[in-house]
Amino acid sequence: MKTLCDPRELMARQGVDPNPNRDLILKVIASSSKAVTPKFILTAARKTRSIDKVTLYRILDLFVARRILRRMASVAGSLRYEIACAEHNPLHPHFVCRECGDMECLSDVDLSDVRERLNMKTKNLPEDIDLKLEGVCQKCSPRKRRRHEEK
Amino acid sequence: MKTLCDPRELMARQGVDPNPNRDLILKVIASSSKAVTPKFILTAARKTRSIDKVTLYRILDLFVARRILRRMASVAGSLRYEIACAEHNPLHPHFVCRECGDMECLSDVDLSDVRERLNMKTKNLPEDIDLKLEGVCQKCSPRKRRRHEEK
DNA sequence: AACAGCGTGCAACTGAGTTGCAATATAAAT
DNA sequence: ATTTATATTGCAACTCAGTTGCACGCTGTT
Ligand SMILES: [Mn+2]
Ligand SMILES: [Mn+2]
Ligand SMILES: [Zn+2]
Ligand SMILES: [Zn+2]
């Protein structure tokens, strides 16, 4: 992300009422440099206040529905979330490591107009676009070192 | 797919020994018009012969490693598999329905050279590319009819 | 006070995919 | 053909992400 997005402003703009849990969860996600898993969010958030995982999942669903967050699936198991703010974090591709499951943002490639650029005229109009490159990341690839665990 | 791929030839080309289970699983996938889930494959294959789900997963892993199959994740839960044969089923984007989880192949858009076209110069070279459009499909969208179950 | 709406927590559940190990099949060696 | 090694399969038990049901608490309304 270029600069940090203000969680409160993002919620206000998207018509979502703030509250302590929502504030915290969005703050955790916004202050991460890459897309994060629910597990990561939960661990980070619990350093500040006690939150149940069900509450987290419900808030994540709400944020995705209200387009505050983008949700991405990968073969690595759990879903990942990132801020969807068009100004601070425009749509971009991701590199996913087959070994460790880590997901890197390719923020220098803008995908806002990817449908036009690739000339994709679909009958169903998409609400979101997800371009993922799969391979083995730097940490895992050279010399097939022990598969790097996610922090 | 343009025309059906011959499972035996595909395995031979990729250096995988055929056997009854592998033949059948690959045939099920090759004769489907869209990317399929393990559950679907298992149900279809069991009409012909008895196969354990663990065997299926192991064969799928083998096929993906040997680049006989492409594997794709979506928010809809289970992974989906399709034939990776470059001639008969070149790399293409997919449309995934948020309601029913169905995945449609956008076979008319070729992604073989997508990295060049989008000018993505990544340090980690990707072994696979997965472009997904997310939204609500025809069956689910108009009039918010009962969420269409996958066959 | 009574009621409704909303957000939360807890426990139990679901369903995809995995792991360990024994049993079987296939291929190679004697 | 009998033995030996190697690859493949099946079964049960397990892991782990995400979900469901329901009771409880809070806030505002009649
Ligand atoms: Mn990203
Ligand atoms: Mn496809
Ligand atoms: Zn890695
Ligand atoms: Zn649908």
Side-chain angles (χ1 to χ4, degrees), chain B residues 31-45:
Chain B
S31 45
S32 167
S33 63
K34 45 176 68 175
V36 288
T37 63
K39 187 179 183 180
F40 175 90
I41 302 169
L42 207 53
T43 305

Side-chain angles (χ1 to χ4, degrees), chain A residues 97-102 135-141 147-148:
Chain A
C97 175
R98 285 229 172 93
E99 300 284 331
C100 63
D102 194 35
V136 181
C137 81
Q138 305 269 339
K139 297 199 203 70
C140 297
S141 128
R147 98 180 20 197
H148 141 251

Side-chain angles (χ1 to χ4, degrees), chain A residues 59-78:
Chain A
I59 291 177
L60 290 175
D61 285 346
L62 171 67
F63 284 168
V64 170
R66 294 304 191 82
R67 303 188 147 282
I68 289 174
L69 294 180
R70 283 191 283 263
R71 163 161 44 197
M72 291 160 295
S74 83
V75 293
S78 46

Side-chain angles (χ1 to χ4, degrees), chain A residues 73-75 93 95 98 104 106 109 118 120 122-124 126-134 138, chain B residues 73-75 93 95 98 104 106 109 117-118 120 122-124 126-134 138:
Chain A
S74 83
V75 293
F95 183 93
R98 285 229 172 93
E104 179 194 354
L106 306 179
V109 180
L118 293 182
M120 299 192 290
T122 54
K123 42 185 186 305
N124 311 319
E127 297 163 18
D128 198 5
I129 292 180
D130 181 9
L131 173 57
K132 278 197 300 289
L133 310 189
E134 264 186 61
Q138 305 269 339
Chain B
S74 82
V75 293
F95 183 92
R98 285 231 171 94
E104 178 194 355
L106 306 179
V109 180
R117 287 213 276 165
L118 293 182
M120 299 192 290
T122 56
K123 43 185 186 306
N124 312 318
E127 297 163 20
D128 199 6
I129 293 179
D130 181 10
L131 173 57
K132 277 196 301 289
L133 310 189
E134 262 185 62
Q138 304 269 339

